[in-house]
Amino acid sequence: MFSAAGGFTGDWGTTSWGAWFETPAHLGLLEGFYTFGTNDRFDMRNSQLIVMWGANPAWSSPGSPTYNYYQAKKAGARFISIDPSYTATAELMDADWYPINPGTDHALALGIMHALLEMDSPENPLIDWEFLRRCTVGFDESNMPAGADPKKNFKDYLLGTYTGKPTTPEWAADICGISASEIRSLARQIGGTQRVALLTGWAPARIHNGEGWVQAFSTLGFMTGHMGRPGRMTGACCHYAAGNNGTRLVMAGANGLPAVKNPVTLKINHNELNRALLEKKFRQRGVGDVDANIQMIFHPFNATLQTRANIMQGIEAYRSGVEFIATAAYVPHTCAKYSDVILPVTTEWEREGTILNPSNREVIIAAVNVTQPLYEAKSDQWIAKELGKRLGVNVDEIFPISEKQQFFNKLNGATIITEDGVTKAPLFTITQADIDEWQVTGTPQEGRITLNEFLTKGKYQVERTPDDNYGYIAYEDFIRDPAANPRPTPSGKFEIYCETLVEKAKECGWTELPPIAEYIPSASGYEASFKDFSKKEKGDYPFQVYNPHYLRRSHSTLDNVPWLREQWPSPIYINTSDAKRLDIKQGETVLVTSPQGKILRPALVTQTMKPGVVALPHGSWTNVDETTGIDMAGADNTLTIQVPTGLGTSGWNTMLCNIEKWHGEQLTDDARLPQRIIG
């Protein structure tokens, strides 16, 4: 509607993906939100060693990925977990734990790769040289891209041939907190095991300057050849594809609404949202700084103020830099709390219905209406139409069909990939009687399940067996025959040396990126926690804080539910030794401070957290005490900062803070606080 009314300034950013949002495509990889570089769940059972690098699917991936990991364990796979905490998934898989400093994964990967070069020999082969020659460019002088300086190759960077600074395990250990002997052990295990799955979540890439980590992790997979073959894979393994990647086997149809192009092309990177409001300018990719005088913000479904960095500065910007803010919401979450007007919107349970593809590639789920809209709540489309009418928009052109017809179109157009693994066919049997009953337009068809049966059961799942045609191995065709199946890069191969990354970073204009995975310390990362890194003297903000997903909520959604608040109190996790040193006891209120803000949280004292690191669960609804400026709810983004780097990657998991015992009144348990509801 806003596009049809003249346009709007949008926003863009890397959000959950971190540097996996854009970097992989330039390297010739699949990773993104819809395509991943790992294999399917049955092939995972072929892996002998599974490395979970910053991945905790038991807490942070929908569906039942832990089941898939456990089947691999029962089939004989060993597990390694590289993470600042000993996670629930690591515990279930009995994984060997390598506690790493947040945001230093890049340094660890470089140290492992240097160790591979140290120890590789014909008698002890740890590097897949044949893979590097056939499938990549840029590893050493002999396979650099045309026109590139041969001295800029990755192997010589690892060895320090021209820089004098080799990325030895000792060098990496000083940064990542994992000993040099353990780094060499990781190299032997990853390089010396025939079938390895290198699986990372998005979390290690949710850091400033995270592009190099994606490059380094991928290059480790290239060096060891753990890609495109049974039991061997390297890539992001998270969200709905955690442990089960591949083409979706069941898909909803389109809703039938026309696309409306936004005539305004300006988009604000998430790391410059506050700057755009306070300084009235922001950097437009490919253009440079542009003036901006934004005087109205409309929040639809995204909790932008809550889930982007530096909430405290955002609140200041909302109050001082903008005339009018409106939010469509069914609960007064953070965006709604700082709005001039809240438009009560319906929940999924009050709408006509929709189809979801949320949990894994084999499942489709119905979200159906169970009640009429309560009180004055209206759907988003109803609100858009009513606003459009008052703005002179022909709303019948942009919403030519009813919401019920849109739901039916998704059902009528839903497809399944048949048993041959290729052909698509209608999923639902729909009769003329169904069409007449729904009072919609459509075409009768034969499918696998009747419409009423699907809506009654609420789901459809494709039956799988280990020998079916639905298996998936990422990059299999390319690795079998690179010349016949080139990757979409200038070289047609995976690019260890990637000039495109350099060009794209210049286009963004924030910070430069090198063509290879050179180590760049993350802004507000581990090194920045020291006032003198060489002497290991900590500064004013000595702790690293990162933000795990948490079972009380999905991002910030459901944070208002009393039952979940009782079970999951949203504490801050701190190592036992740090707590003892600071005289902090289990359950006591602590003050957590960063240069951006302050929060109060109960302490959860544990042996499963790396010393020097604290974990603050993601998504608490901000509740600022206006007299003290302290966020009593402990929102993670009260502490974070907006720093644009590289390709616009946002960083939440490399932040610094101080933590100390709180001597004021103890916090009331979240579960005892009244719900925030619209009266």
Side-chain angles (χ1 to χ4, degrees):
M1 186 281 296
F2 284 122
S3 294
F8 62 95
T9 300
D11 63 304
W12 72 279
T14 59
T15 57
S16 295
W17 302 272
W20 287 103
F21 181 76
E22 181 178 346
T23 309
H26 303 315
L27 307 179
L29 296 165
L30 288 167
E31 265 68 30
F33 189 77
Y34 297 105
T35 58
F36 295 77
T38 52
N39 305 348
D40 87 326
R41 62 188 179 100
F42 283 107
D43 184 70
M44 183 187 278
R45 302 176 194 183
N46 294 320
S47 299
Q48 296 165 298
L49 174 65
I50 296 175
V51 180
M52 302 183 298
W53 202 320
N56 181 21
W59 271 30
S60 60
S61 296
S64 53
T66 312
Y67 171 85
N68 301 325
Y69 283 68
Y70 197 66
Q71 302 316 302
K73 177 178 172 59
K74 290 199 297 184
R78 293 190 303 111
F79 282 79
I80 285 173
S81 176
I82 301 173
D83 202 283
S85 67
Y86 188 66
T87 65
T89 313
E91 180 181 7
L92 181 62
M93 303 306 155
D94 193 24
D96 293 335
W97 179 34
Y98 291 81
I100 189 171
N101 296 321
T104 64
D105 309 87
H106 186 171
L108 174 57
L110 292 174
I112 291 172
M113 287 186 279
H114 188 284
L116 289 171
L117 286 171
E118 281 180 13
M119 299 183 291
D120 178 71
S121 70
E123 299 75 32
N124 181 38
L126 300 178
I127 297 173
D128 191 335
W129 294 101
E130 190 264 348
F131 185 99
L132 287 171
R133 295 282 176 265
R134 288 194 311 114
C135 302
T136 73
V137 294
F139 184 74
D140 59 21
E141 287 188 1
S142 67
N143 75 338
M144 290 289 281
D149 182 350
K151 293 182 178 181
K152 298 294 185 181
N153 70 83
F154 185 66
K155 178 184 175 184
D156 280 318
Y157 170 73
L158 291 175
L159 296 175
T161 305
Y162 303 109
T163 65
K165 299 176 181 179
T167 65
T168 63
E170 286 74 18
W171 167 85
D174 194 42
I175 298 170
C176 71
I178 296 172
S179 72
S181 62
E182 288 177 315
I183 292 173
R184 288 187 172 91
S185 173
L186 282 169
R188 282 191 294 269
Q189 293 179 74
I190 293 170
T193 305
Q194 183 179 5
R195 299 188 304 277
V196 178
L198 291 170
L199 311 179
T200 183
W202 286 324
R206 285 198 290 269
I207 63 172
H208 301 298
N209 303 315
E211 293 82 5
W213 151 246
V214 173
Q215 259 187 305
F217 175 79
S218 303
T219 304
L220 176 58
F222 302 152
M223 279 186 72
T224 52
H226 293 312
M227 299 182 75
R229 292 172 268 203
R232 306 177 73 178
M233 61 197 93
T234 298
C237 187
C238 50
H239 208 261
Y240 60 76
N244 190 21
N245 186 35
T247 306
R248 281 200 178 274
L249 305 181
V250 279
M251 280 292 293
N255 63 14
L257 290 180
V260 181
K261 185 177 181 180
N262 182 7
V264 177
T265 58
L266 294 177
K267 285 192 173 185
I268 307 170
N269 180 263
H270 294 158
N271 296 294
E272 293 210 325
L273 285 170
N274 292 347
R275 179 188 177 218
L277 299 179
L278 291 169
E279 297 181 20
K280 307 301 182 184
K281 63 177 58 179
F282 65 91
R283 181 172 293 278
Q284 172 77 351
R285 185 168 181 170
V287 176
D289 272 5
V290 296
D291 293 329
N293 185 23
I294 295 167
Q295 291 301 324
M296 172 185 166
I297 296 173
F298 189 95
H299 292 292
F301 68 95
N302 248 347
T304 307
L305 179 62
Q306 171 75 55
T307 58
R308 307 299 178 255
N310 206 337
I311 292 176
M312 301 304 291
Q313 188 184 56
I315 292 171
E316 176 195 350
Y318 275 36
R319 285 175 165 170
S320 64
V322 184
E323 286 184 17
F324 181 73
I325 302 169
T327 297
Y330 55 84
V331 282
H333 51 56
T334 303
C335 287
K337 183 174 182 177
Y338 292 96
S339 294
D340 297 291
V341 172
I342 303 174
L343 302 175
V345 72
T346 51
T347 63
E348 294 289 349
W349 300 279
E350 300 163 88
R351 300 181 191 178
E352 290 291 351
T354 190
I355 299 181
L356 307 174
N357 288 103
S359 53
N360 68 60
R361 59 190 292 243
E362 303 155 16
V363 175
I364 196 167
I365 294 175
V368 297
N369 174 283
V370 297
T371 182
Q372 292 299 308
L374 300 176
Y375 313 113
E376 296 179 333
K378 303 293 184 182
S379 74
D380 294 275
Q381 286 189 26
W382 185 94
I383 293 170
K385 288 180 188 178
E386 293 303 313
L387 288 174
K389 292 174 185 177
R390 290 155 176 80
L391 292 172
V393 172
N394 184 345
V395 295
D396 292 333
E397 287 186 357
I398 56 175
F399 298 109
I401 56 177
S402 69
E403 293 182 56
K404 188 169 187 176
Q405 180 71 57
Q406 293 169 43
F407 180 30
F408 183 81
N409 288 347
K410 289 186 174 185
L411 294 163
N412 205 190
T415 57
I416 181 172
I417 294 179
T418 61
E419 285 76 7
D420 66 7
V422 178
T423 309
K424 287 186 178 181
L427 177 58
F428 302 123
T429 294
I430 296 177
T431 66
Q432 186 60 50
D434 293 326
I435 295 169
D436 294 341
E437 181 183 347
W438 279 59
Q439 298 182 348
V440 293
T441 59
T443 304
Q445 63 187 28
E446 288 293 325
R448 299 297 179 90
I449 184 175
T450 67
L451 190 59
N452 286 336
E453 186 180 0
F454 171 68
L455 295 175
T456 300
K457 287 184 175 181
K459 71 164 181 96
Y460 179 86
Q461 182 156 6
V462 176
E463 187 174 346
R464 292 290 313 276
T465 60
D467 59 350
D468 61 28
N469 292 316
Y470 296 133
Y472 180 81
I473 296 179
Y475 311 117
E476 184 176 29
D477 291 342
F478 168 70
I479 290 166
R480 183 182 63 252
D481 190 343
N485 304 281
R487 301 304 305 156
T489 59
S491 66
K493 296 182 178 183
F494 296 133
E495 298 204 344
I496 295 172
Y497 182 100
C498 182
E499 192 63 38
T500 306
L501 272 182
V502 179
E503 296 167 359
K504 293 298 181 181
K506 288 180 179 178
E507 178 184 289
C508 289
W510 289 301
T511 59
E512 294 184 357
L513 291 177
I516 59 174
E518 295 179 19
Y519 182 68
I520 301 174
S522 178
S524 301
Y526 174 69
E527 292 93 326
S529 69
F530 297 88
K531 62 182 178 183
D532 189 325
F533 184 73
S534 62
K535 296 179 180 178
K536 294 299 183 286
E537 294 179 7
K538 284 286 189 178
D540 294 336
Y541 300 97
F543 284 91
Q544 285 191 277
V545 55
Y546 78 103
N547 307 126
H549 287 269
Y550 190 61
L551 292 178
R552 169 160 141 187
R553 49 192 170 252
S554 173
H555 293 295
S556 63
T557 304
L558 305 178
D559 190 51
N560 207 31
V561 179
W563 291 351
L564 294 175
R565 287 181 161 223
E566 288 175 11
Q567 186 63 36
W568 301 94
S570 204
I572 190 162
Y573 292 75
I574 182 172
N575 179 269
T576 302
S577 62
D578 290 327
K580 183 177 181 180
R581 175 171 53 83
L582 297 172
D583 190 29
I584 293 170
K585 296 180 176 59
Q586 175 76 13
E588 286 186 333
T589 301
V590 296
L591 174 67
V592 186
T593 307
S594 83
Q596 288 70 51
K598 299 179 179 181
I599 67 168
L600 293 180
R601 277 294 86 198
L604 194 156
V605 180
T606 177
Q607 298 277 11
T608 63
M609 179 64 56
K610 183 178 176 66
V613 178
V614 294
L616 180 64
H618 169 55
S620 288
W621 288 3
T622 312
N623 184 24
V624 179
D625 182 329
E626 296 290 342
T627 59
T628 64
I630 297 174
D631 177 13
M632 309 299 282
D636 48 337
N637 282 312
T638 299
L639 304 178
T640 55
I641 188 170
Q642 293 184 3
V643 181
T645 60
L647 302 179
T649 302
S650 293
W652 288 277
N653 286 331
T654 47
M655 292 295 159
L656 303 179
C657 73
N658 185 39
I659 183 169
E660 57 190 299
K661 193 183 185 79
W662 175 248
H663 297 288
E665 184 178 349
Q666 295 294 290
L667 276 176
T668 302
D669 292 345
D670 289 357
R672 296 174 178 269
L673 297 173
Q675 271 189 296
R676 278 162 59 171
I677 59 174
I678 296 176

